[in-house]
Amino acid sequence: MNDQLVLSNPSIELKDSYLSFYQEWKQSGEDMVPWVIEKDPENYEDMILWLNHNKQGINTNGFVANSTYWLVANQKVVGVVNIRHELTDKLFHSGGHIGYGIRPSERRKGYATVLLRLALMESKRLGMMKVLLVCDEINEGSKKTIIKNGGIKDKDFIEEDGNILNRFWIEI
């Protein structure tokens, strides 16, 4: 990975690249992670406004204030991270502070490790000293990424459907 990586605010300038990211993920049939990429970008400008409102805690429909950033490599959106500014009880057990995802065709290239490292720097800038990250127990890639970034295992959480979530804390 020799790409120039930048953590970028969602922007109009990256519209084509983000739409390509979104379409690739939709076509993969996988769960869309982090949750904000589920938002249909058909009206792209409204989506950008919605993301900016989320960051400011405006009209979040019961969600906590959250900041979304795109990991960009040579003008290509390769990943997305969403940082929740605080935890509800549900997020404490099964969501965590930070959710991230890498474009399916760009996985296993080290992008997730860099994305999480940059997200931790941003979390610190937001005033957080310790963050919670959560991943499915079977997600070995995510576990390795979290541990590489200083994750310390905490007690697992078992969802109603029996899925086991590994929980990790990272001091920033």
Side-chain angles (χ1 to χ4, degrees):
M1 175 181 58
N2 294 328
D3 297 327
Q4 178 67 25
L5 297 174
V6 178
L7 199 61
S8 171
N9 283 304
S11 69
I12 299 298
E13 295 76 27
L14 290 166
K15 179 178 181 176
D16 291 342
S17 183
Y18 183 79
L19 292 176
S20 168
F21 169 90
Y22 178 82
Q23 286 306 321
E24 182 179 325
W25 207 300
K26 287 293 274 188
Q27 290 167 359
S28 77
E30 298 176 17
D31 288 344
M32 298 184 85
V33 177
W35 69 276
V36 292
I37 68 171
E38 292 177 11
K39 177 122 176 113
D40 188 336
E42 186 177 326
N43 190 327
Y44 189 81
E45 290 75 13
D46 282 353
M47 182 194 74
I48 297 292
L49 183 62
W50 176 75
L51 291 170
N52 286 330
H53 281 169
N54 283 349
K55 185 182 276 191
Q56 298 168 39
I58 300 170
N59 301 328
T60 56
N61 295 326
F63 289 99
V64 298
N66 59 88
S67 300
T68 299
Y69 301 96
W70 296 344
L71 183 66
V72 180
N74 303 317
Q75 295 299 10
K76 180 179 183 181
V77 176
V78 296
V80 174
V81 63
N82 179 258
I83 304 168
R84 273 79 71 178
H85 300 182
E86 60 185 312
L87 297 178
T88 61
D89 191 51
K90 181 177 180 354
L91 289 173
F92 177 78
H93 293 293
S94 60
H97 284 101
I98 300 174
Y100 59 90
I102 300 297
R103 176 190 284 250
S105 65
E106 297 294 340
R107 294 183 185 147
R108 304 184 68 77
K109 297 180 180 179
Y111 289 133
T113 300
V114 173
L115 178 56
L116 181 52
R117 180 174 44 81
L118 294 171
L120 291 169
M121 291 167 47
E122 190 59 31
S123 297
K124 187 171 189 169
R125 194 185 70 70
L126 290 168
M128 298 179 210
M129 299 298 155
K130 189 176 180 181
V131 294
L132 176 68
L133 284 102
V134 174
C135 68
D136 289 342
E137 184 174 55
I138 61 169
N139 190 340
E140 291 299 324
S142 220
K143 282 194 276 194
K144 288 178 184 174
T145 296
I146 293 167
I147 291 168
K148 278 183 196 172
N149 277 284
I152 305 296
K153 188 109 166 38
D154 196 8
K155 186 177 181 206
D156 292 340
F157 180 76
I158 302 173
E159 296 179 300
E160 286 183 20
D161 64 2
N163 184 47
I164 299 171
L165 295 174
N166 291 161
R167 299 169 65 251
F168 299 85
W169 288 97
I170 299 177
E171 291 201 33
I172 310 173

